[in-house]
Amino acid sequence: ADEFLERHGDEPGVELVRGVVVRFPMGGPEHGSVCINAGTELKNFARANKLGRVMGNDTAIRLSADTVRGADACFLSYAKWPADRKLPKVVLDVMPEVVVEVRSPSALWTEVFAKVGEYLAAGVAVVVVLDPATETATVLRPGPTQETVAKDGTLELPDVLPGFAVPVARFFEE
């Protein structure tokens, strides 16, 4: 991971997956819009409640010695990373509580769920997958259950962000 970060640490669309450098196509306008909407909703809530930081734009997270993934958006609490401590410039080595992934049109569900599994195994409490094709939010936590919230529903994360409640449709607004 250290060698990967030296070579590709500031390169968008590149991840290290079990020791293999993987390049992803650029997400496109729709993907970018959903990413920024998710980050904005998380950021506004975290800032208003003084809970922590929100990052986006493929934030590099070291999941293991041979895996570095880029989150579309993530929330890291002040309990895990104090407010007076500057964020690292290249990679997070502490797991955020929430990771949001926006499914790209070219991504297979097996790839998405593999990535989700890696986040959860590394200690991320909640992964939210936003799917522009179906306009749904799927919430995954460690364990066998998952919850899919339709466009007309509300995304809530009471275990990690008490009081956070966002209409799912808002993530898909242009």
Side-chain angles (χ1 to χ4, degrees):
D2 290 334
E3 181 182 337
F4 165 79
L5 291 166
E6 285 178 31
R7 289 185 176 172
H8 305 285
D10 60 352
E11 196 175 328
V14 181
E15 295 179 339
L16 181 67
V17 182
R18 294 177 294 287
V20 177
V21 175
V22 179
R23 296 183 186 280
F24 295 93
M26 295 179 82
E30 180 184 56
H31 184 270
S33 178
V34 176
C35 289
I36 199 73
N37 289 348
T40 299
E41 294 296 338
L42 285 170
K43 181 78 170 183
N44 289 344
F45 184 82
R47 180 177 282 161
N49 294 284
K50 298 179 175 64
L51 296 175
R53 295 179 171 90
V54 174
M55 293 150 278
N57 197 30
D58 291 329
T59 296
I61 304 169
R62 185 189 322 252
L63 302 181
S64 67
D66 66 352
T67 301
V68 176
R69 292 291 203 164
D72 288 328
C74 62
F75 165 77
L76 178 64
S77 71
Y78 289 141
K80 284 191 169 189
W81 198 276
D84 61 351
R85 187 174 172 200
K86 283 190 75 74
L87 286 170
K89 296 206 181 288
V90 178
V91 66
L92 277 178
D93 285 311
V94 62
M95 291 306 109
E97 284 89 341
V98 178
V99 167
V100 176
E101 282 297 316
V102 178
R103 183 173 179 246
S104 300
S106 62
L108 300 174
W109 276 109
T110 53
E111 296 167 336
V112 173
F113 285 121
K115 192 172 187 177
V116 167
E118 291 168 4
Y119 281 125
L120 295 175
V124 174
V126 176
V127 179
V128 178
V129 177
L130 299 174
D131 185 4
T134 60
E135 296 189 342
T136 57
T138 301
V139 182
L140 302 108
R141 295 174 172 83
T145 61
Q146 70 182 42
E147 171 192 10
T148 299
V149 184
K151 181 181 179 177
D152 61 352
T154 300
L155 176 66
E156 298 180 71
L157 306 171
D159 49 336
V160 290
L161 292 171
F164 180 80
V166 177
V168 171
R170 196 175 296 165
F171 295 113
F172 304 103
E173 293 174 350
E174 293 184 9

